[in-house]
Amino acid sequence: MTLAIIGGVLWILGIIALLTGVFPADDALAVADRVWPILLFVVAVTIVAELASKAGLFDVVAARLARVARGRTVWLWVLVVALATVATAFLSLDTTAVLLTPVVVSMAVARKLDPLPFAFVTVVLANTASLVLPVSNLTNLLASEALGGGHDPVAFLALLGPSALIAIAVSVSVLTLVFLRRLPKTYPDAVSPTVSDPILLRVSAVVTVALLPLLVVGLEPWMPAVGAAVVLLAAFAWRAPAGLGIRLVPWSLLVFAGGLFLAVGALEALGIGRVTSVLAGTGDDLVSLWQVAGVGALAANGINNLPAYLALESVAGSPARLAALLIGVNAGPIMTPWASLATLLWHDRLVAAGVEVKWGRFIVFGAVIAPLILVLGVLPLAL
């Protein structure tokens, strides 16, 4: 609700800018033409993830991972890391935060393990692993479109793959050093989750598995996502119509993102680029790349990563600088609760699951992990 209210205010400000001529109508239409495919993808992939979750897919996958680990905590930890990374890379960081968090927490509690370590590794990877593919984060979709050539996953990986690997390795290493030694070496088995409709589970599994490669073959991401959403909506209409509803659509996020695009477009028309260019600097040398990544991280932790990216995108200036900015606004926003929408959603899910987490602890971890990622993750871009 708070997100929708903020988005509503941004819409009002943007409309005022349009009516007063501050923001030309042609520029607004150009913004709309750029963002509608991105927002359509967000809606479609959210519906796919929500329906797959309702079918029990994530619960079943987590339970099978626990069986594969054969009661050894270290292997369960490794498999949870892999699951969170894959979910973030292909289905976006919000999917990991919203849908995977309660599953991982429930899996840990059922096996008499402290759920907090698994919850922390999930939310940190939801942010740091969002550097992997264009579809991993809304900012990536914007950046890949700005780079030209469509949402090419191969080109994106060539540019940011090494940095993404460093971000994942740093975050996992820190959390492993802190948490794994505190967990018991083994855990007892638990009862497998109950599946209410095996047919829906199978359909959801097939659709999700088929969707993953289609997101990285060079198609516009909204195309396979919409196709997958339509198939699952039809399956639920046939088998479990009660599971359908207007709440499947992330309305608050749409209102917020739409208002944000409009408001930032108006600010750019007013000349905000002159200010951000001074802050972000110029050049592709290592120090300049650190500068733009650092400014992006500070802006994201000060306000939020999406407005931080939008405000700084126009001064990125080159593929290397744009990649450095993504490192700052994707992997950097883990030092304040509001820096990433995924973090706030993660906390809401923990509260709903009855798991208490102190923000001070989150901030301490972020203050250690984020600077390491910024320093090390930018290095491949300067080579």
Side-chain angles (χ1 to χ4, degrees):
M1 181 61 68
T2 302
L3 202 65
I5 292 172
I6 296 172
V9 172
L10 292 174
W11 270 100
I12 292 171
L13 294 175
I15 290 171
I16 291 173
L18 275 170
L19 294 177
T20 56
V22 171
F23 188 25
D26 288 344
D27 291 351
L29 289 174
V31 170
D33 186 58
R34 179 189 181 192
V35 303
W36 75 259
I38 294 172
L39 294 182
L40 181 57
F41 166 77
V42 170
V43 171
V45 81
T46 299
I47 291 173
V48 170
E50 288 281 0
L51 292 179
S53 179
K54 287 177 180 288
L57 180 61
F58 294 117
D59 294 290
V60 169
V61 169
R64 290 188 178 178
L65 292 182
R67 285 202 298 273
V68 169
R70 295 175 182 260
R72 291 168 291 184
T73 304
V74 63
W75 287 114
L76 181 62
W77 179 262
V78 170
L79 291 171
V80 168
V81 165
L83 178 61
T85 301
V86 171
T88 301
F90 287 94
L91 299 176
S92 86
L93 73 168
D94 293 335
T95 295
T96 300
V98 173
L99 301 177
L100 198 58
T101 296
V103 169
V104 169
V105 166
S106 176
M107 178 195 69
V109 169
R111 287 155 183 83
K112 304 187 186 309
L113 294 170
D114 182 1
L116 273 180
F118 296 94
F120 268 105
V121 79
T122 300
V123 72
V124 171
L125 282 172
N127 288 283
T128 58
S130 69
L131 286 168
V132 176
L133 293 170
V135 296
S136 306
N137 200 325
L138 182 56
T139 54
N140 295 359
L141 289 169
L142 291 166
S144 61
E145 192 269 342
L147 287 168
H151 304 291
D152 183 355
V154 176
F156 193 88
L157 268 175
L159 179 63
L160 268 161
S163 298
L165 185 61
I166 288 171
I168 293 168
V170 168
S171 52
V172 171
S173 296
V174 171
L175 293 175
T176 299
L177 286 173
V178 173
F179 284 124
L180 191 57
R181 58 189 176 85
R182 301 181 185 179
L183 293 169
K185 294 183 186 298
T186 60
Y187 57 86
D189 199 5
V191 178
S192 298
T194 302
V195 176
S196 58
D197 191 328
I199 293 178
L200 269 183
L201 175 63
R202 293 190 189 97
V203 172
S204 299
V206 170
V207 169
T208 303
V209 170
L211 175 63
L212 301 188
L214 291 176
L215 291 174
V216 295
V217 296
L219 293 171
E220 286 288 321
W222 66 268
M223 295 179 180
V226 167
V230 169
V231 172
L232 283 185
L233 286 170
F236 268 79
W238 169 45
R239 301 288 300 181
L244 302 178
I246 200 70
R247 292 173 64 87
L248 288 173
V249 178
W251 295 109
S252 295
L253 178 59
L254 288 181
V255 172
F256 173 72
L260 192 59
F261 286 123
L262 193 60
V264 172
L267 288 174
E268 287 181 342
L270 287 170
I272 192 177
R274 291 191 294 272
V275 177
T276 54
S277 63
V278 173
L279 295 174
T282 58
D284 284 4
D285 59 282
L286 180 58
V287 174
S288 297
L289 294 177
W290 274 333
Q291 181 179 357
V292 69
V295 169
L298 288 174
N301 283 289
I303 44 175
N304 180 265
N305 66 333
L306 185 54
Y309 173 82
L310 290 172
L312 292 164
E313 181 192 62
S314 61
V315 298
S318 70
R321 286 178 59 80
L322 197 59
L325 176 58
L326 284 178
I327 293 172
V329 300
N330 283 15
I334 51 176
M335 292 185 283
T336 57
W338 55 81
S340 166
L341 175 61
T343 301
L344 294 174
L345 295 171
W346 167 80
H347 186 260
D348 286 345
R349 290 305 170 107
L350 286 183
V351 171
V355 177
E356 182 182 357
V357 58
K358 296 180 179 179
W359 281 122
R361 200 175 187 187
F362 176 88
I363 292 169
V364 168
F365 282 130
V368 173
I369 295 171
L372 287 173
I373 290 175
L374 293 181
V375 171
L376 299 176
V378 170
L379 291 177
L381 301 176
L383 297 179

